[in-house]
Amino acid sequence: MSSKRPIAGYVDPNIPNPNGDGDAPIIIYGYTPTLALNILALILFALLLLFHIFRLYATRLYAFSTLLVFTTLCEIIGYIFRLRSSPPPVGNPYGVINFVVQYFFIVTAPVFLSAAIYTTLTSFIAALSNNDPNATKKLSPLGLSKKTILGIFITADIIATIVQIAGAALIGVSQSNRKSPVTANNILLAGLAFQVFTFLVFLILLFIFIRNSRKIMLSTSGGRGSVMRMYTIALVASSLLVYLRTCFRLAETSQGVGGYASSHEVFFGVLEFAPIVVAIGLLGWWHPGSLVGRKGLLSS
């Protein structure tokens, strides 16, 4: 009697499984990735990449812009492999390697985006306090230093991402070998739950900073205060979009492999792809380098 479990999962009735060495018996995505979404994503992320490269040279805010360039590059690579999972003749939706690689890069990309957001918060604190240690303590949430904020949240994101990638890779291996993906999915779920928690803590610190800096923004002359508020709104909006995306991933994974959210691409498009595109766009248009860059408003 065979020890392999019966096939459980999505099989596209219109696309025969090539049954190659690198193919799973099912489509691990839970659906066949559409060509249109992948092409749209590649076009938009390519445009955003060029936009942030331009911003990098225009503002010379190297750390922030480099992180956004890495974000868009990871998204582009991820969607190239999703494109390779599109229906034939373009791709093969049954290929395990395409699923694992696209997941790796699409999950890794927001780590760089989040790091850019953390960096922006610390830059705003430094600019508004004029790098005065006492003023920085009053402005910074809980009096945390720049190094502490960056160290805590970047480390947390790295740990969460490693756990998520390990879980996704194990799901791919389990499905390919017709074994239960429950344990692998629980690993993925743990990584996402940790990430949701730590980013929520960051959001709380961000709102504490806004409360602490409110008087300075209102009293700043020459229209600088209103400009600073607009850039802060963009930072908050981008942060909430990243958090929305992470919460979606947690909800999707909590339903298990083959759950409703994970088996309908519309949720991926609206709650993964769209929030990241908009967040990167917001941070490009209201680029913090215009405030705290070499010739920024708060640097002059």
Side-chain angles (χ1 to χ4, degrees):
M1 184 176 176
S2 173
S3 61
K4 290 183 177 179
R5 68 186 182 99
I7 296 176
Y10 177 71
V11 176
D12 194 321
N14 300 313
I15 304 175
N17 191 331
N19 291 313
D21 291 338
D23 295 328
I26 63 168
I27 297 175
I28 304 174
Y29 295 91
Y31 53 82
T32 302
T34 58
L35 190 64
L37 177 60
N38 293 327
I39 291 176
L40 175 64
L42 286 171
I43 291 171
L44 291 179
F45 283 120
L47 290 173
L48 287 170
L49 173 62
L50 294 175
F51 188 32
H52 278 284
I53 289 174
F54 166 74
R55 286 296 210 177
L56 169 64
Y57 285 99
T59 66
R60 297 296 195 269
L61 195 63
Y62 293 109
F64 175 85
S65 294
T66 301
L67 288 166
L68 266 298
V69 167
F70 276 120
T71 301
T72 51
L73 282 173
C74 284
E75 293 286 0
I76 288 169
I77 296 171
Y79 281 96
I80 286 173
F81 278 87
R82 271 188 76 91
L83 185 67
R84 287 168 55 87
S85 297
S86 300
V90 175
N92 170 24
Y94 294 95
V96 174
I97 189 65
N98 292 333
F99 171 82
V100 172
V101 175
Q102 65 85 32
Y103 193 93
F104 173 85
F105 282 101
I106 291 175
V107 166
T108 300
V111 174
F112 294 112
L113 175 56
S114 297
I117 289 172
Y118 307 148
T119 301
T120 301
L121 173 59
T122 58
S123 296
F124 283 1
I125 293 169
L128 286 176
S129 64
N130 291 316
N131 289 309
D132 177 78
N134 293 326
T136 299
K137 266 194 171 183
K138 291 179 181 179
L139 274 177
S140 182
L142 306 181
L144 297 173
S145 69
K146 175 179 179 178
K147 287 183 179 180
T148 300
I149 293 172
L150 295 178
I152 289 173
F153 292 106
I154 291 176
T155 301
D157 276 349
I158 291 171
I159 293 170
T161 303
I162 290 172
V163 174
Q164 289 173 56
I165 291 169
L170 289 171
I171 288 173
V173 172
S174 299
Q175 295 284 38
S176 183
N177 295 329
R178 301 190 183 187
K179 294 180 179 178
S180 173
V182 172
T183 300
N185 191 74
N186 287 339
I187 293 172
L188 175 57
L189 187 64
L192 284 163
F194 179 65
Q195 191 170 35
V196 165
F197 170 74
T198 56
F199 204 85
L200 176 61
V201 173
F202 170 76
L203 287 175
I204 293 170
L205 295 183
L206 176 58
F207 284 109
I208 291 174
F209 160 74
I210 292 171
R211 184 201 64 187
N212 293 349
S213 62
R214 186 169 178 270
K215 287 184 179 179
I216 296 177
M217 290 190 195
L218 290 175
S219 62
T220 303
S221 61
R224 292 187 178 187
S226 59
V227 173
M228 180 68 194
R229 287 194 293 275
M230 283 302 303
Y231 279 81
T232 302
I233 290 170
L235 175 63
V236 171
S238 300
S239 301
L240 290 175
L241 285 167
V242 171
Y243 191 60
L244 171 65
R245 171 261 172 201
T246 310
C247 288
F248 157 66
R249 284 294 197 179
L250 177 64
E252 174 192 48
T253 306
S254 68
Q255 294 181 356
V257 177
Y260 188 80
S262 63
S263 58
H264 291 77
E265 192 178 26
V266 63
F267 292 109
F268 175 88
V270 173
L271 296 172
E272 163 69 47
F273 161 66
I276 298 301
V277 166
V278 175
I280 296 173
L282 284 173
L283 292 175
W285 190 261
W286 284 282
H287 193 287
S290 300
L291 283 180
V292 297
R294 187 177 60 175
K295 298 181 179 179
L297 189 64
L298 299 180
S299 300
S300 57

